[in-house]
Amino acid sequence: MCGILAVLGCSDDSQAKRVRVLELSRRLKHRGPDWSGLHQHGDCFLAHQRLAIVDPASGDQPLFNEDQSIIVTVNGEIYNHEELRKQMPNHKFRTGSDCDVIAHLYEEHGENFVDMLDGIFSFGLLDTRDNSFIVARDAIGVTSLYIGWGLDGSVWIASELKGLNDDCEHFETFPPGHLYSSKEREFRRWYNPPWFSESIPSAPYDPLALRQAFEKAVVKRLMTDVPFGVLLSGGLDSSLVASITARHLADTKAAKQWGAKLHSFCVGLEGSPDLKAGKEVADYLGTVHHEFQYTVQDGIDALEDVIYHIETYDVTTIRASTPMFLMSRKIKSLGVKWVISGEGSDEIFGGYLYFHKAPNKEELHKETCRKIKALHKYDCLRANKSTFAWGLEARVPFLDKEFINVAMNIDPENKMIKLDEGRIEKWILRKAFDDEENPYLPKHILYRQKEQFSDG
């Protein structure tokens, strides 16, 4: 993961333009403190600030195909990169980076390869053979990306707005699940799952299938060559993520490098319910637990920096970003480079308390679809930018493409909250992990009612 900035098709290929691109790229240095890269081809500039997680030794960017005719700068994690490499036996890869497959996939499949990527990503790709380029963003918008247009007709992309606002006459959020092609000069949606149309699904609820899909989503995110941990507030979502990670860690490459003891992190004001619940879950799972307390004054003092980094004035997002911002600084100081987090569950399963008022399954399903489509403006933005402010990456298994397909294909009648039948919010997720023989969590944690992060 990292920060990217690219200027494509500008009218100026001068040294002054190169210096300006470097200057703007440094505004994103906090996102990738491990390496700075810049490649110029004519009037196109691709800059990169790297946070090295997979193949730290040789995965510096921009990345190229064999003859360097295709250049790509990527902010992302491609979890199926080893499988994709096997599908291209005639290609030679320069690095072990998971992002190295992108240039080669484009060479094989043209612009239609994006849906083959299982992961989170934002990238700009330049094809020097005809000076065309494409830009793409992951399905839900877990990675941040913005696009702008200069007065000279150039197209600019950056991981944060602060890389664009001074030099573009117009700029906007790059829409998740879309691709922009210089040949067509327009966006097109590459992510078209069945749920996106908001038609009401009818698949029966299979607790085991849901459990297996989520475990798979967590395990694939344990791809790493550097130390990591898990955010643990003691709520259902983070506790499930921590439980699954603790179960499967011993069998991973990460455990061989860094040990099988999972580190967990929690933040809160003194006496907050999250600190108490987080410690209880950590004790149950046997993690090495780290608690961070902050004061109201600490939060007030951090506000200006929080808003600078998350680039929004949305009150709820700022309120929730503040403790995450303060916690991320502490986590990074311990040498940890990425964490697993529980974002996305409430949107998929109707976990917010106002879902109690859903009049029927049709309205509930449409609201979950609406919430998922808006995640890139709120929770994903918070999780991405308040962690990357300190060069820390957050991975979010609930927003795994395959898992979302499974969860959003279930008849939403099963997501309806029916207190008279003992069905509280996210009942189907809780039930899927209610294993009497080999419990994932204590019962009272598994059935703990939702607390808003910034309240907890």
Side-chain angles (χ1 to χ4, degrees):
M1 284 290 242
C2 57
I4 62 172
L5 186 139
V7 185
L8 303 156
C10 66
S11 60
D12 183 3
D13 61 358
S14 67
Q15 183 65 22
K17 176 62 79 173
R18 184 182 179 91
V19 170
R20 178 59 177 160
V21 171
L22 275 171
E23 180 186 332
L24 293 170
S25 179
R26 286 193 201 101
R27 293 184 183 180
L28 310 181
K29 184 74 174 177
H30 52 275
R31 296 183 65 90
D34 298 330
W35 167 261
S36 296
L38 173 65
H39 185 86
Q40 179 182 357
H41 176 80
D43 59 357
C44 295
F45 302 82
L46 290 89
H48 189 265
Q49 301 287 347
R50 187 183 186 207
L51 178 66
I53 289 178
V54 176
D55 187 20
S58 70
D60 298 334
Q61 294 194 32
L63 296 164
F64 307 87
N65 65 336
E66 291 91 338
D67 64 5
Q68 298 199 2
S69 61
I70 298 163
I71 312 158
V72 62
T73 181
V74 191
N75 170 24
E77 300 289 346
I78 311 302
Y79 301 119
N80 63 336
H81 74 105
E82 291 183 352
E83 176 188 322
L84 291 170
R85 285 170 186 257
K86 291 173 185 174
Q87 295 173 19
M88 298 181 284
N90 298 324
H91 286 256
K92 292 182 180 177
F93 297 89
R94 292 174 51 251
T95 79
S97 167
D98 50 295
C99 295
D100 207 352
V101 296
I102 291 176
H104 301 273
L105 285 168
Y106 173 82
E107 198 173 11
E108 287 285 320
H109 304 282
E111 295 180 356
N112 299 315
F113 73 90
V114 182
D115 202 20
M116 298 170 68
L117 301 173
D118 182 8
I120 53 175
F121 52 83
S122 296
F123 67 80
L125 181 150
L126 175 65
D127 186 342
T128 65
R129 297 171 299 188
D130 60 2
N131 257 23
S132 64
F133 61 85
I134 61 170
V135 184
R137 188 180 183 190
D138 64 69
I140 305 299
V142 175
T143 60
S144 59
L145 188 65
Y146 300 88
I147 185 168
W149 290 267
L151 283 168
D152 60 357
S154 56
V155 177
W156 299 57
I157 63 164
S159 296
E160 296 185 6
L161 281 165
K162 56 183 70 69
L164 303 180
N165 64 300
D166 289 343
D167 294 77
C168 296
E169 62 166 337
H170 172 71
F171 49 88
E172 61 191 50
T173 301
F174 194 100
H178 279 73
L179 177 146
Y180 180 90
S181 168
S182 65
K183 293 176 181 176
E184 298 165 9
R185 292 205 167 270
E186 63 182 14
F187 297 100
R188 74 170 182 270
R189 171 167 287 284
W190 64 262
Y191 179 58
N192 293 292
W195 66 267
F196 212 85
S197 67
E198 301 185 12
S199 58
I200 311 304
S202 58
Y205 168 49
D206 181 342
L208 186 58
L210 187 65
R211 182 202 298 182
Q212 290 172 342
F214 188 58
E215 287 197 295
K216 184 179 177 183
V218 173
V219 171
K220 75 171 69 164
R221 279 160 178 77
L222 303 183
M223 175 184 80
T224 184
D225 293 321
V226 297
F228 76 102
V230 60
L231 302 185
L232 180 57
S233 69
L236 172 68
D237 308 326
S238 65
S239 298
L240 280 179
V241 170
S243 177
I244 295 166
T245 304
R247 283 190 179 210
H248 293 277
L249 182 58
D251 299 325
T252 66
K253 177 184 165 187
K256 294 179 178 68
Q257 284 185 283
W258 305 105
K261 266 291 191 187
L262 179 64
H263 287 252
S264 56
F265 306 94
C266 187
V267 67
L269 297 166
E270 185 179 0
S272 70
D274 274 7
L275 288 178
K276 181 182 176 184
K279 185 175 189 317
E280 183 182 355
V281 176
D283 290 344
Y284 180 82
L285 298 176
T287 68
V288 180
H289 192 55
H290 307 265
E291 280 187 4
F292 304 123
Q293 289 189 23
Y294 72 103
T295 66
V296 172
Q297 190 60 50
D298 291 333
I300 293 169
D301 292 343
L303 271 179
E304 188 174 334
D305 287 337
V306 169
I307 294 168
Y308 171 80
H309 281 287
I310 66 173
E311 302 181 317
T312 181
Y313 289 116
D314 178 70
V315 173
T316 304
T317 304
I318 293 167
R319 192 172 69 143
S321 294
T322 302
M324 201 166 192
F325 174 87
L326 293 168
M327 175 170 58
S328 297
R329 177 166 57 184
K330 295 281 192 181
I331 293 172
K332 188 59 186 281
S333 72
L334 296 174
V336 171
K337 296 186 91 168
W338 65 271
V339 290
I340 312 184
S341 186
E343 271 77 23
S345 171
D346 292 312
E347 287 75 13
I348 294 168
F349 293 104
Y352 294 108
L353 297 183
Y354 77 89
F355 276 89
H356 282 254
K357 299 180 179 180
N360 52 56
K361 69 176 187 179
E362 289 82 10
E363 292 300 317
L364 183 142
H365 181 72
K366 286 177 181 175
E367 181 65 2
T368 57
C369 293
R370 187 186 73 82
K371 294 290 281 185
I372 296 171
K373 291 175 185 178
L375 267 168
H376 70 283
K377 294 187 284 188
Y378 304 109
D379 287 41
C380 286
L381 182 149
R382 166 181 56 79
N384 182 275
K385 291 184 180 177
S386 56
T387 53
F388 266 113
W390 302 103
L392 181 73
E393 175 190 317
R395 297 183 180 178
V396 284
F398 278 108
L399 298 180
D400 181 82
K401 267 198 310 182
E402 292 178 36
F403 177 72
I404 291 176
N405 286 343
V406 171
M408 293 301 288
N409 195 39
I410 298 169
D411 186 334
E413 179 63 35
N414 297 282
K415 297 179 183 179
M416 291 289 287
I417 298 164
K418 299 181 178 179
L419 297 179
D420 55 332
E421 298 177 21
R423 282 170 47 175
I424 62 173
E425 68 278 353
K426 293 188 286 195
W427 173 82
I428 62 171
L429 180 63
R430 301 173 196 272
K431 189 69 176 172
F433 286 91
D434 195 349
D435 187 335
E436 296 284 352
E437 293 183 9
N438 191 13
Y440 285 77
L441 293 168
K443 284 272 190 186
H444 66 281
I445 295 289
L446 190 62
Y447 290 95
R448 181 188 177 195
Q449 194 172 50
K450 166 75 180 170
E451 294 236 34
Q452 307 292 357
F453 173 62
S454 45
D455 297 338

